[in-house]
Amino acid sequence: ENFLFSWASQSICLTKMTQYFRSLYGYFKLISGHVTSNAASIERPIEEGVMGSTPVQEFYKNKHVFLTGGTGFMGKVLVEKLLRSCHQLEKIYILVREKKGKTTQQRFEEIFDCVVFDRLKMEQPGFRSKVMLICGDCSKKKLGISENDLDLLRSNVNIAFHIAAIVNFEASLPESVRANLSATKEFVELATGFKALEVCSKSMTIF
């Protein structure tokens, strides 16, 4: 009986995972333009004055978004989705650190080399004007952000997303604590100083 229960639980889990990855694959096909025109039209931003805006689009209208983890998988998906679907979004500030001999500017530019942005480049070629690099490091106090940039964020940010994290199984405990716990604490403390803040969100990976 225990064996059957365990087998059934694993089967359900695998089924859910399969459905998840199929959905994810379908989304990537959609945003990459590898779908029929009818399906693609569903995801196109609603033109103002034609059908009106959705509640989500209205919420993000003229908003300033601050984001950590923008160089990672989930960060890129979020940035692309916000820029493409919420076309009246004012600005996205992406925190980027130096890594593996690459400067923050180099890593920032590499974000938009990802295939996930191909469709956005075709539909909204000027989207880069809405994205700004913020140099920093989540392992440092105040996320390693300069005072000038902190003043900019404090005055403008309405929505803050903390996505940066270490998901390396081989990372040491101190390294994981510093990146996943201490960084979150620094992020929250920083966000409390944003004068126009409306939403503060943390994305957590559990494994």
Side-chain angles (χ1 to χ4, degrees), residues 46-49 52-65 81-83 85-92 130 156-159 196 198-199:
I46 299 173
E47 295 297 333
E48 189 174 7
S53 299
T54 68
V56 173
Q57 289 171 322
E58 282 297 318
F59 176 76
Y60 279 98
K61 185 177 180 180
N62 300 324
K63 292 296 197 306
H64 292 249
V65 176
K81 182 62 176 176
L82 287 175
L83 289 170
S85 295
C86 302
H87 50 291
Q88 289 186 303
L89 178 76
E90 186 67 28
K91 186 76 72 175
I92 297 180
K130 293 188 175 184
N156 293 290
V157 172
N158 310 109
I159 303 159
E198 297 179 33
V199 176

Side-chain angles (χ1 to χ4, degrees), residues 2-19:
N2 289 336
F3 170 77
L4 289 175
F5 177 77
S6 176
W7 178 84
S9 298
Q10 291 179 29
S11 297
I12 293 172
C13 182
L14 287 172
T15 300
K16 293 292 185 182
M17 289 178 65
T18 301
Q19 292 173 346

Side-chain angles (χ1 to χ4, degrees), residues 72-192:
F73 169 72
M74 290 305 300
K76 290 173 184 173
V77 171
L78 177 59
V79 169
E80 190 278 341
K81 182 62 176 176
L82 287 175
L83 289 170
R84 180 166 53 83
S85 295
C86 302
H87 50 291
Q88 289 186 303
L89 178 76
E90 186 67 28
K91 186 76 72 175
I92 297 180
Y93 307 95
I94 303 179
L95 183 75
V96 181
R97 67 184 174 107
E98 295 181 351
K99 186 179 180 181
K100 296 180 179 179
K102 294 183 179 180
T103 66
T104 54
Q105 186 64 46
Q106 287 174 320
R107 297 191 69 219
F108 178 70
E109 296 297 331
E110 287 177 353
I111 293 174
F112 308 104
D113 291 336
C114 180
V115 65
V116 75
F117 290 95
D118 286 353
R119 180 178 166 188
L120 182 62
K121 290 175 183 177
M122 291 188 295
E123 295 181 358
Q124 301 178 48
F127 75 92
R128 286 289 300 272
S129 64
K130 293 188 175 184
V131 188
M132 179 177 175
L133 164 66
I134 299 293
C135 298
D137 189 330
C138 286
S139 66
K140 298 179 179 179
K141 287 289 185 181
K142 296 183 179 180
L143 305 184
I145 303 174
S146 70
E147 282 301 320
N148 285 340
D149 284 343
L150 281 176
D151 288 341
L152 177 68
L153 298 177
R154 289 179 184 129
S155 300
N156 293 290
V157 172
N158 310 109
I159 303 159
F161 290 102
H162 183 43
I163 302 177
I166 285 183
V167 291
N168 181 3
F169 288 97
E170 297 180 355
S172 66
L173 181 59
E175 183 182 8
S176 296
V177 168
R178 184 168 57 252
N180 297 339
L181 295 180
S182 300
T184 301
K185 177 176 178 291
E186 291 294 328
F187 176 84
V188 172
E189 290 180 352
L190 200 65
T192 57

